[in-house]
Amino acid sequence: MKKNYAINDFNGKIIMLYGLFLLLSISIYGQSQSSENTIINVDWDVCRYYPSPNSHKSTIKAPDHIRQKIANGGGGCSNFIVNYNGFTPQAEAAFQFAVDIWSNSIESPVPIRVSANFGPLGAGVLGGAGPASFRTVSGSGFPANTAFPIALAEKLTGSEIASPPATTSTDIIATFSSTANFYFGLDANPPINQVDFVSVVLHELAHGLGFLGFGTVPTDNTGTPDPNPPVVGVLRNQGFLSPWDIFIENGTPTAMTSFGDPSAALLSEFTGNNLFSNGPIATSQNGGVKPSTYAPATFSVGSSYSHWDNSTFPTGNPNSLMTSSIAPGEAIHNPGLVTLGFMEDMGWSICGGSLSVKELTLDTIEVSPNPFNSSITIRVSNNFNDDYNISVLDINGRVIFNETEKPINGSIAISNLDELESALYFIKITNKNNGASITKKVIKN
Ligand SMILES: [Zn+2]
């Protein structure tokens, strides 16, 4: 069998189905090495993003360094090329703002091509999006029997994957409700009765980049579980897993991949309120706790399995972007470190450096004031219950101070530094639980 590309001949595409609802469905069809195509449809809604029933005023802006970069017109770590259909200039500006946040959050050497549409969606649905296709990636280091969202497959192989006859591919297809009451401002300050469009786009683009698994229930061509209520859960899509599926386990912990597929046992896992991602970087960014995925008692197509759990990450939580609903009045313009950590677990690279478990990042540790006088405060934004070793060294490497402390309300204070000479010092902070460490320069006034 001859292969011309690192990409296996395994294609997929999203088919938009217009019926009772407009459904976003994924079908994967295997393409044999010959010219014969075998098309297999496994249809389900990737995301039915709903407004939550109660309004909730909440503002989470994009990270400061990203807002500064956008304001200065600085390029990101990835290049999104968007084809807009049915957008007003205002809607396009809001979509572009969300694109700019993602392009400053993840890295790819290959352009990410997005088809962005306004259209009719099911009653109450704000938007839906997904990868335009999934592809397997051959080569060492890539898990077997895994199909990657195409934007990620292109990032991993460093090359454009064609969708013949075109020489490029659409990577993400996103559709937004033409009847929803959206707020198109960029200031993360939507009125209490409007849904923040930037937040919705940010959410849907995450799905398009690969924030979704194949776990679902069999559905008919309107997206209704078939039979209703469903009797089995399904994990593999035409025998393939997505990178998401590899990391999902229950509280025991038992991996979803070890259950019969399809099976009633799998359905009870999907509806047991007891599913977690064991992605190591996501877990590290969640304070050492495996983040909980949405697994309500009734399987909800387009919500269950492929979102974070709403009660674990409620409105206002910095990691709430990828829960299954958004409140009118809520703005969240930051993907959040748990979501970015899981993107990195699945194969993405993070703009500005790894969130890897071996390092503390500038995002998670803050040392102030700098310059300091008599005391220094170290603030941690996750891993609150871990022990931290703090050592202060002078320019010759002599240890001036060395203690292990546990944060109180996220802070560790070092005091009685009055008598230190005015000079440059190094402060080394080591998380004793996972071995991660960071060293920062500080100046004594
Ligand atoms: Zn969603």
Side-chain angles (χ1 to χ4, degrees), residues 47 49 203-204 207 307 322-323:
C47 174
Y49 198 31
H203 175 106
E204 296 303 340
H207 287 308
H307 290 90
M322 295 313 296
T323 59

Side-chain angles (χ1 to χ4, degrees), residues 135-274:
R135 311 288 177 119
T136 58
V137 178
S138 60
S140 62
F142 297 115
N145 301 320
T146 302
F148 290 83
I150 185 165
L152 179 53
E154 290 180 334
K155 182 267 171 191
L156 292 169
T157 58
S159 59
E160 186 78 59
I161 300 171
S163 291
T167 54
T168 59
S169 61
T170 295
D171 302 317
I172 295 172
I173 299 173
T175 304
F176 302 90
S177 169
S178 46
T179 55
N181 185 12
F182 283 127
Y183 173 71
F184 292 106
L186 309 183
D187 59 358
N189 190 26
I192 196 80
N193 63 335
Q194 287 191 312
V195 174
D196 186 62
F197 187 66
V198 171
S199 306
V200 173
V201 175
L202 207 61
H203 175 106
E204 296 303 340
L205 287 176
H207 287 308
L209 292 166
F211 193 96
L212 79 164
F214 286 160
T216 187
V217 295
T219 57
D220 65 19
N221 64 7
T222 69
T224 305
D226 182 19
N228 193 6
V231 293
V232 293
V234 182
L235 185 63
R236 288 164 184 81
N237 193 344
Q238 196 54 36
F240 289 86
L241 298 167
S242 80
W244 173 285
D245 302 314
I246 298 165
F247 294 105
I248 305 301
E249 65 180 30
N250 65 20
T252 303
T254 303
M256 289 306 100
T257 51
S258 58
F259 288 90
D261 183 12
S263 70
L266 207 44
L267 177 63
S268 60
E269 296 299 325
F270 291 170
T271 54
N273 268 309
N274 191 32

